[in-house]
Amino acid sequence: DDDRIDCIIMDAPYGILDQQMTWGTTRKRNLNGGWKFETRDLDNEIYTKLLRILKPGGHMFSFMPASKNDTHEYIEAQIQCAKEAGWTFNSQWVWDKKMMGMGYNGRSRHELIHFFSKGKRRLHPKGHAMRRTPDVLAQTREHSRWAIHETQKPIDLIADIIEFSTLPKEVVLDPFAGSLSTASAALQTGRNSICIEIDKNMIVKALTHVP
């Protein structure tokens, strides 16, 4: 229904990831012939539908890749696409993974997080949760040995965002749920969640996974 969700947190399977399949020959995902999931860019239709179901003032956090020479135009285009659908762009956050990725000079150890809202953003009723939250969130990324999804996000990272945006018992939506990190973070923080994942096998893995 309209205006029913308190917060949206998503790590969409954005198409710019496909370019990484052409870099290097030693990465496991390259040797396997690509990602284990289908990529798709967010478009006006998706942004519009997400806006409809979020409560006025509600927050949406969308993960994006680090800004590089081959990604910065894509990142700006995604911000513009969301704004054209009616979203208010508030700021760009950073997830510090505390571990460097593949590459040579200037190896990325972060991802970006775009902070949108439906109209003027809601201020946290308790205030202090917002004041103590920085726009750089440092949480160690999941090691590939233990992760069940190739782009899995740490539960504590999602929990930080949930506590910034919502109160206990409110509802968080993750339309690209993957390893169900958002569901776990919602349980951890006393929130409710709706998580959507197209890969049924991934849902089974996430529900039965023991770290």
Side-chain angles (χ1 to χ4, degrees):
D1 295 337
D2 295 355
D3 303 334
R4 290 301 180 95
I5 303 298
D6 295 288
C7 176
I8 298 171
I9 300 174
M10 62 180 179
D11 182 21
Y14 36 80
I16 197 70
L17 288 172
D18 293 335
Q19 294 187 16
Q20 297 181 14
M21 294 300 101
T22 64
W23 304 335
T25 58
T26 59
R27 293 182 180 184
K28 185 176 180 180
R29 61 175 182 259
N30 295 63
L31 296 175
N32 290 338
W35 301 98
K36 296 178 181 178
F37 55 85
E38 180 182 352
T39 57
R40 178 184 175 182
D41 290 330
L42 297 173
D43 55 23
N44 183 273
E45 180 183 9
I46 297 175
Y47 279 123
T48 300
K49 288 181 177 180
L50 293 174
L51 185 71
R52 177 183 66 79
I53 63 177
L54 191 68
K55 291 179 181 178
H59 301 173
M60 178 174 74
F61 286 87
S62 178
F63 282 84
M64 283 281 122
S67 184
K68 301 282 187 177
N69 67 317
D70 57 343
T71 62
H72 72 96
E73 291 182 357
Y74 177 88
I75 292 168
E76 290 301 316
Q78 282 293 305
I79 294 175
Q80 186 60 33
C81 184
K83 290 172 66 175
E84 290 173 358
W87 287 95
T88 297
F89 177 68
N90 293 301
S91 59
Q92 184 168 266
W93 290 21
V94 173
W95 168 34
D96 178 3
K97 303 179 184 182
K98 298 186 178 181
M99 298 174 66
M100 290 190 293
M102 300 289 285
Y104 299 96
N105 296 328
R107 293 164 59 184
S108 294
R109 73 172 217 179
H110 78 280
E111 288 184 21
L112 301 176
I113 311 172
H114 288 163
F115 175 21
F116 296 95
S117 61
K118 184 173 182 176
K120 184 177 180 180
R121 70 184 181 95
R122 168 197 187 190
L123 296 179
H124 199 292
K126 292 187 177 181
H128 66 277
M130 283 191 166
R131 288 194 294 270
R132 71 186 183 207
T133 304
D135 62 0
V136 177
L137 302 177
Q139 296 287 353
T140 305
R141 70 173 173 83
E142 300 288 348
H143 194 283
S144 59
R145 182 180 302 173
W146 313 116
I148 61 173
H149 193 283
E150 291 173 291
T151 62
Q152 185 167 327
K153 298 298 182 286
I155 294 171
D156 287 345
L157 170 68
I158 304 301
D160 286 342
I161 297 174
I162 287 176
E163 291 188 321
F164 174 85
S165 298
T166 64
L167 291 172
K169 298 184 179 180
E170 291 188 334
V171 182
V172 180
L173 169 69
D174 185 346
F176 306 98
S179 62
L180 301 186
S181 291
T182 297
S184 297
L187 288 172
Q188 179 176 299
T189 57
R191 273 69 168 176
N192 296 304
S193 66
I194 299 173
C195 295
I196 303 169
E197 172 55 44
I198 195 172
D199 185 349
K200 293 182 179 180
N201 291 328
M202 180 54 61
I203 295 174
V204 172
K205 286 182 181 179
L207 291 174
T208 58
H209 178 61
V210 179

